[in-house]
């Protein structure tokens, strides 16, 4: 089937065009306030799942930064399955993220769920996350595309890689090429893990698209104790970065405690990742301590 591109040219509507590796064989490096995703260094985005308080956010941010994480990721607007679960601190959470960014110097990424909030979230963050539940929200994809902000696009929990690439295509079609794809696990018949982390997606996406690809083993497994080994596997298979949830007190976390690493375990994980990165021609940022 043929369709019209923004330039008026006729294009196939069965193949993504702008995200295609052939459009940029050398690969795209997405820069987020000085941090490069898609280069030689494996990028570490880390944070509690949700911003809960100034103390919790600052404690986690300084710990993960000192272990070598480059980007702070914290949820202010939380997409929760139950409307009775903690929904995030919302606007107050955005203010806390902007504050901790000033305190630590770390760029910040946070989720936006609503087209009407893109401007406000963009004013407080350095990168916009479009979560798994919103990967198919085409007006939202267009709006984050128009914002020109870097976008962290998570794979829908039941999305094929074609659907994932087309979602990214919506953003690029607005003239915004600053998109990072995140594999975060898909729904399968398996019940012992929260999702099935589809590491096949990494080499397949790297072959098909020039966009950087990162992996989220926290949502991909749902178990904190699986996160370090799946992180090593993700780096070994060619991921450009990792998104890992860390919480100073996982037992009392308001969201995703069971899959959150304590800062001390995150630090050990970073040390364990370094030789794996070197083995595949990459590197992990050095710790500050
Ligand atoms: C999250 O990153 O905390 C989150 C809600 O992830 P996902 O959209 O992958 O479920
Ligand atoms: Mn989470």
């Amino acid at each position: 089937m043929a369709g019209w591109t923004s330039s008026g040219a006729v294009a196939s509507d069965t193949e993504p065009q702008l995200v295609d590796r052939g459009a940029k064989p050398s690969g795209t490096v997405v820069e987020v306030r000085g941090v490069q995703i898609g280069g030689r260094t494996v990028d570490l985005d880390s944070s509690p799942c949700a911003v809960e308080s100034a103390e919790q956010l600052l404690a986690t941010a300084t710990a993960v930064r000192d272990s070598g994480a480059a980007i702070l990721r914290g949820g202010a607007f939380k997409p929760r399955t139950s409307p009775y679960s903690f929904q995030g601190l919302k606007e107050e959470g955005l203010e806390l993220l902007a504050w901790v960014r000033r305190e630590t110097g770390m760029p910040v990424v946070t989720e936006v769920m609503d087209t009407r909030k893109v401007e406000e979230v963009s004013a407080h963050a350095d990168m916009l996350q479009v979560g798994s539940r919103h990967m198919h929200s085409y007006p939202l994809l267009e709006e984050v595309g128009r914002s020109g902000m870097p976008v962290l696009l998570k794979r829908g929990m039941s999305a094929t890689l074609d659907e994932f690439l087309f979602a990214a295509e919506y953003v690029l079609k607005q003239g915004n090429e600053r998109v990072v794809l995140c594999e975060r696990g898909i729904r399968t018949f398996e019940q012992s893990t929260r999702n099935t982390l589809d590491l096949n997606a990494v080499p397949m996406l790297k072959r098909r698209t020039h966009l950087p690809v990162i992996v989220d083993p926290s949502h991909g497994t749902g178990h904190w104790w699986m996160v370090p080994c799946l992180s090593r596997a993700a780096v070994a298979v060619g991921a450009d970065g990792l998104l890992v949830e860390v919480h100073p007190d996982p037992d009392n976390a308001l969201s995703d405690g069971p899959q959150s690493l304590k800062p001390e375990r995150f630090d050990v994980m970073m040390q364990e990742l370094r030789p794996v990165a070197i083995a595949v021609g990459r590197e992990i940022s050095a710790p500050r301590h």
Side-chain angles (χ1 to χ4, degrees):
M1 282 283 289
W4 294 97
T5 65
S6 53
S7 65
V10 178
S12 159
D13 61 7
T14 56
E15 292 290 334
Q17 324 271 315
L18 303 170
V19 300
D20 191 84
R21 170 66 71 173
K24 202 172 170 191
S26 60
T28 291
V29 175
V30 173
E31 189 172 320
V32 183
R33 210 153 63 87
V35 175
Q36 300 202 324
I37 310 177
R40 188 178 144 81
T41 304
V42 177
D43 166 59
L44 259 295
D45 302 351
S46 188
S47 75
C49 177
V51 177
E52 297 171 13
S53 68
E55 300 73 41
Q56 169 243 25
L57 189 61
L58 186 62
T60 316
T62 49
V64 298
R65 180 197 60 185
D66 292 351
S67 298
I71 299 181
L72 184 70
R73 192 215 62 119
F77 295 95
K78 292 305 304 172
R80 304 304 299 279
T81 301
S82 165
Y84 304 108
S85 299
F86 176 60
Q87 302 287 307
L89 294 180
K90 303 185 177 171
E91 286 77 11
E92 189 192 338
L94 291 181
E95 296 296 340
L96 287 174
L97 284 167
W99 165 76
V100 85
R101 169 171 73 170
R102 290 193 295 277
E103 292 291 315
T104 61
M106 295 176 87
V108 160
V109 51
T110 195
E111 177 156 359
V112 61
M113 299 194 278
D114 185 331
T115 50
R116 293 166 301 182
K117 290 284 180 192
V118 170
E119 205 177 321
E120 186 181 0
V121 176
S122 302
H124 292 81
D126 302 293
M127 184 180 212
L128 304 177
Q129 176 174 325
V130 174
S132 193
R133 290 158 190 78
H134 295 97
M135 189 211 84
H136 296 283
S137 300
Y138 302 118
L140 181 63
L141 295 170
E142 289 179 333
E143 197 62 30
V144 298
R146 278 192 287 272
S147 76
M149 294 280 288
V151 177
L152 176 59
L153 178 61
K154 299 189 83 174
R155 181 180 183 180
M157 57 189 80
S158 304
T160 64
L161 295 181
D162 274 332
E163 290 165 338
F164 193 17
L165 288 169
F166 269 125
E169 185 87 5
Y170 268 89
V171 181
L172 270 75
K173 197 160 179 290
Q174 297 303 319
N176 184 356
E177 209 189 50
R178 304 168 79 194
V179 178
V180 175
L181 302 175
C182 180
E183 161 59 39
R184 48 77 74 204
I186 51 174
R187 283 212 163 146
T188 67
F189 50 80
E190 182 52 56
Q191 301 291 307
S192 63
T193 45
R194 180 174 177 178
N195 291 292
T196 296
L197 188 64
D198 180 15
L199 289 181
N200 289 356
V202 179
M204 186 61 85
L205 288 170
K206 299 283 300 176
R207 184 182 174 93
R208 291 193 56 193
T209 177
H210 53 86
L211 299 173
V213 179
I214 74 168
V215 170
D216 170 358
S218 304
H219 294 88
T221 64
H223 299 298
W224 66 267
W225 55 271
M226 291 183 79
V227 170
C229 53
L230 271 302
S231 294
R232 295 196 293 275
V235 171
V237 84
D240 295 304
L242 296 169
L243 192 161
V244 174
E245 290 187 338
V246 176
H247 195 288
D249 182 11
D251 289 344
N252 291 303
L254 296 179
S255 144
D256 288 350
Q259 66 192 36
S260 298
L261 290 177
K262 291 185 179 162
E264 309 82 68
R265 187 66 190 88
F266 178 76
D267 192 63
V268 173
M269 182 187 102
M270 292 291 276
Q271 292 166 35
E272 294 166 347
L273 277 174
R274 285 195 180 88
V276 180
I278 289 165
V280 292
R282 310 292 286 265
E283 59 191 32
I284 304 274
S285 300
R288 290 189 177 205
H289 50 77

